[in-house]
Amino acid sequence: MLRDLVIKSRSYRRFYQAEAVRMEDLRELVDLARLSPSARNAQPLRFFISCDPQKNAVIFEHLAWAGYLKGWGGPVEGERPAAYIIILGDTEISQTFGCDQGIAAQSMLLGAVEKGLGGCILGSIQRPGLQAYLNIPQKYEILLVLAIGKPKETVVIEPVGADGNIQYYRDENQVHHVPKRSLEDLILS
Ligand SMILES: Cc1cc2nc3c(=O)[nH]c(=O)nc-3n(C[C@H](O)[C@H](O)[C@H](O)COP(=O)(O)O)c2cc1C
């Protein structure tokens, strides 16, 4: 069921780094993005894919992980993503990309979960450095990075408490908790 897939598709930030992700799997995920909605059907998104350890190391250095987890600098060596998909916008097709990249990202994350993988959307990116290191031509704008791998952590959803705090946190067993607002709080009527 789609609901089960959506619930299972959490933001995972620790992975079995040694469990390789196949290039073919990344291509199949990008194909899901290709089939997703696009404003004016302009289809301006392009995708840089990597399951190469050296490229992955460069990409990792340009990302910021889990801002609410103070004192955690992101996944340690051995628990880093085995693959990345960098979502790019072709500025020769469009100057603004609306929410195309968000839709594409979610399609690909759901596809990853269906494959027994998982991932995390990252928008906190040192864009100029990453673009230069990967030799990505200037006509492409780096929009989002998707980290992909075999998840090595448990993530649970729970209701936002009475204090209204929406910050995710890790408990003493390293389980990652994500508060979600209630349906009643979201729907205006
Ligand atoms: C547009 C966008 C940008 C995000 N950027 C980051 C990021 O830079 N670093 C990070 O660790 N998580 C990032 N996240 C993941 C969110 O923190 C995560 O979705 C949120 O905590 C809720 O958890 P959930 O995805 O498991 O529901 C991003 C999510 C979205 C949608």
Side-chain angles (χ1 to χ4, degrees):
M1 254 176 73
L2 179 61
R3 183 181 167 79
D4 296 330
L5 203 58
V6 170
I7 289 174
K8 205 169 161 200
S9 183
R10 304 270 51 86
S11 292
Y12 296 104
R13 298 182 179 87
R14 287 175 293 169
F15 303 91
Y16 293 97
Q17 188 172 343
E19 298 251 349
V21 175
R22 298 177 313 137
M23 209 56 165
E24 191 50 34
D25 281 324
L26 296 181
R27 287 176 56 87
E28 285 171 13
L29 295 181
V30 172
D31 201 40
L32 295 178
R34 182 180 75 83
L35 296 167
S36 296
S38 170
R40 292 176 287 112
N41 203 27
Q43 303 168 69
L45 301 184
R46 298 295 180 266
F47 302 87
F48 183 102
I49 57 180
S50 170
C51 47
D52 168 67
Q54 278 170 338
K55 278 197 199 112
N56 287 354
V58 168
I59 296 168
F60 177 82
E61 290 306 323
H62 292 85
L63 304 174
W65 296 80
Y68 292 146
L69 301 184
K70 299 296 173 214
W72 188 63
V76 294
E77 187 63 39
E79 296 188 343
R80 293 180 180 164
Y84 291 95
I85 299 174
I86 304 178
I87 306 179
L88 307 166
D90 185 337
T91 60
E92 289 180 359
I93 295 178
S94 202
Q95 292 299 309
T96 56
F97 303 98
C99 52
D100 278 24
Q101 64 267 35
I103 296 168
Q106 179 70 349
S107 291
M108 293 191 285
L109 280 187
L110 291 173
V113 169
E114 199 183 47
K115 286 175 178 291
L117 302 169
C120 185
I121 300 173
L122 293 114
S124 185
I125 309 160
Q126 295 172 42
R127 288 177 169 78
L130 184 58
Q131 187 136 4
Y133 265 109
L134 296 178
N135 285 317
I136 296 172
Q138 283 304 315
K139 73 169 185 162
Y140 299 112
E141 187 182 325
I142 295 176
L143 301 172
L144 292 171
V145 173
L146 279 198
I148 307 277
K150 184 142 193 295
K152 196 190 173 183
E153 67 180 353
T154 304
V155 180
V156 293
I157 296 174
E158 61 194 22
V160 170
D163 60 1
N165 189 356
I166 45 71
Q167 296 195 4
Y168 51 76
Y169 63 95
R170 265 194 210 149
D171 67 22
E172 60 281 8
N173 298 317
Q174 299 304 308
V175 171
H176 185 91
H177 296 252
V178 182
K180 292 286 184 190
R181 300 189 202 281
S182 72
L183 198 53
E184 286 66 34
D185 283 345
L186 302 192
I187 298 175
L188 308 183
S189 58

